[in-house]
Amino acid sequence: MTAVCAAVALVVATGCSSDRAPDLGRSPASSPDGTPSQDASPSPSAAPAKGSVKVVSTLTRGLRTPWGLAALPDGDLLVSSRDDGTITRVGVRDGERGKKTAVGSVPGVAPGGEGGLLGIALSPTYASDRLVYAYFTTASDNRVARMLYDEKKPAGQQLGAPDTVLRGIPKGTIHNGGRIAFGPDKMLYAGTGEAGDPALAQDKESLGGKILRMTPDGQPVHGNPEADSVVYSLGHRDVQGLAWDARGQLWASEFGQDTWDELNLIEPGKNYGWPDVEGEGGTADGFVDPVEVWPPSEASPSGLAFAEGSLWMAALRGQRLWRVPLAGRESAAPPQAFLKGEYGRLRTVLATGGGTVWLTTSATDGRGTPRSGDDRILRLEVG
């Protein structure tokens, strides 16, 4: 495994996966019950050691605390505002490009610190049910709810009443997790944080510090480690990025504390070590080591996407986009950093095929230095 250390100067780049999987059908690398398999298909060719990023355009400006991002079937984007508790539609097509339309507010959102309206995702059967899922902080917990999106209603009034599918995820001023995404198995995955209480990450009865896997109705899935639990993996500090590669393998980006941020290959029932281990060195205790690590000054990762054979990870404090080329279960070469310091803090990455990646900035989240036009959505071409 390659560790990216402060003493090593690497040139290169990266943060629901997209908030939807590139292919919402069953992955060819899935087991009969739909659980992504680590061994069901041969490893594809390794991605090239060096990649490229081109900023094609700025799609829109003036967003406030953008967090979640999802692509509609016509290509337009939905973006959530963490602090305002609202969802906005941003046009992508000719004649509508960059136009912002208020979709609506999510009732019950109680923003504070790192909490608020966080990740969003479209139902895998969106074409027929028009459901938008959201992960958000309330006065008592973090939860996942779904809402009907009716584009025919007036702007700002297009969201139906939220139907809560999962509640009781611990909340805090920090470490609320928040990324949700539907996997190749059409199940809903959520990355949670330990809400500032590290012990929750090792508590199998808590939903904090976990990656969760559930049906679209919020129920445990056949193939989960425990039949009556939505917990898929444990020992996480604060998961804010989820992505599936071409083999159907699940990857997650995770905030460390003072030493190492992590990129992990996620397998059901595995323990990723927090708070007993930060970074490498936990295998003797039955923990899983990360595939890549970074000092927080170079990462503090949030969103994660898979495109063109590589994972792309948005860095907040690191203010760069990391590219991690993959070769099966490992990285094919040292990560590359792109856009270093050019656009400030970077929050969410969404891959929509053909090398097109959408990237949101995060200067208005209380920890950045907003410039004129912040926050924005950038259109990238990656390779």
Side-chain angles (χ1 to χ4, degrees):
M1 186 196 88
T2 304
V4 182
C5 303
V8 180
L10 294 175
V11 182
V12 288
T14 156
C16 327
S17 146
S18 58
D19 283 307
R20 65 175 188 180
D23 176 9
L24 291 176
R26 181 173 148 189
S27 164
S30 295
S31 63
D33 69 357
T35 305
S37 168
Q38 308 302 324
D39 303 303
S41 63
S43 175
S45 300
K50 300 295 182 181
S52 62
V53 169
K54 178 182 179 182
V55 180
V56 177
S57 63
T58 298
L59 176 64
T60 197
R61 295 176 170 84
L63 297 170
R64 175 174 151 82
T65 60
W67 213 100
L69 196 63
L72 292 163
D74 64 5
D76 285 359
L77 303 177
L78 296 181
V79 57
S80 62
S81 168
R82 184 193 71 184
D83 292 353
D84 291 346
T86 57
I87 296 177
T88 299
R89 182 173 183 148
V90 181
V92 169
R93 298 161 292 165
D94 291 344
E96 299 288 324
R97 188 171 294 117
K99 178 183 177 182
K100 292 178 286 188
T101 303
V103 172
S105 299
V106 178
V109 174
E114 296 175 358
L117 178 56
L118 304 174
I120 55 176
L122 301 186
S123 163
T125 52
Y126 178 82
S128 59
D129 62 32
R130 318 298 286 184
L131 290 175
V132 176
Y133 284 70
Y135 181 116
F136 58 94
T137 312
T138 73
S140 59
D141 64 359
N142 284 296
R143 62 184 60 175
V144 179
R146 57 188 175 189
M147 297 154 287
L148 180 67
Y149 175 27
D150 187 349
E151 302 173 26
K152 297 178 181 179
K153 290 188 175 181
Q157 303 174 35
Q158 297 172 344
L159 288 179
D163 170 26
T164 299
V165 298
L166 184 71
R167 66 181 73 232
I169 303 169
K171 62 163 284 188
T173 304
I174 58 174
H175 305 172
N176 290 286
R179 194 68 60 185
I180 56 174
F182 281 94
D185 55 2
K186 298 185 180 181
M187 296 298 108
L188 180 60
Y189 293 73
T192 75
E194 31 82 314
D197 181 357
L200 295 182
Q202 292 295 325
D203 182 354
K204 294 183 179 181
E205 301 303 315
S206 173
L207 298 180
K210 310 293 190 299
I211 292 175
L212 312 177
R213 176 177 180 249
M214 68 199 86
T215 69
D217 296 324
Q219 298 301 308
V221 184
H222 177 67
N224 277 5
E226 300 292 336
D228 60 347
S229 174
V230 297
V231 172
Y232 193 66
S233 64
L234 70 158
H236 300 288
R237 187 168 183 261
D238 191 16
V239 175
Q240 290 194 8
L242 300 171
W244 287 264
D245 63 20
R247 300 181 70 200
Q249 296 179 133
L250 174 59
W251 299 80
S253 54
E254 179 173 345
F255 282 97
Q257 187 171 31
D258 300 320
T259 309
W260 299 117
D261 294 328
E262 301 179 1
L263 174 68
N264 285 297
L265 176 60
I266 303 301
E267 297 180 283
K270 295 298 179 67
N271 190 324
Y272 291 82
W274 179 255
D276 299 276
V277 177
E278 180 182 359
E280 298 180 4
T283 55
D285 298 313
F287 302 131
V288 179
D289 274 352
V291 173
E292 292 289 347
V293 297
W294 293 262
S297 61
E298 296 181 7
S300 299
S302 187
L304 188 68
F306 177 78
E308 303 301 300
S310 297
L311 291 167
W312 302 84
M313 189 180 82
L316 292 164
R317 184 178 167 191
Q319 299 188 15
R320 65 198 77 181
L321 182 68
W322 284 103
R323 172 185 181 263
V324 182
L326 295 181
R329 297 168 57 84
E330 302 291 339
S331 51
Q336 281 181 281
F338 293 95
L339 310 180
K340 184 177 177 180
E342 294 183 34
Y343 294 94
R345 292 164 62 82
L346 304 179
R347 172 69 68 178
T348 294
V349 195
L350 175 66
T352 54
T356 296
V357 165
W358 300 101
L359 176 67
T360 68
T361 65
S362 193
T364 59
D365 64 3
R367 293 181 175 173
T369 304
R371 293 174 281 188
S372 177
D374 282 341
D375 273 310
R376 60 196 74 198
I377 300 175
L378 307 173
R379 181 187 174 192
L380 312 180
E381 292 294 335
V382 304

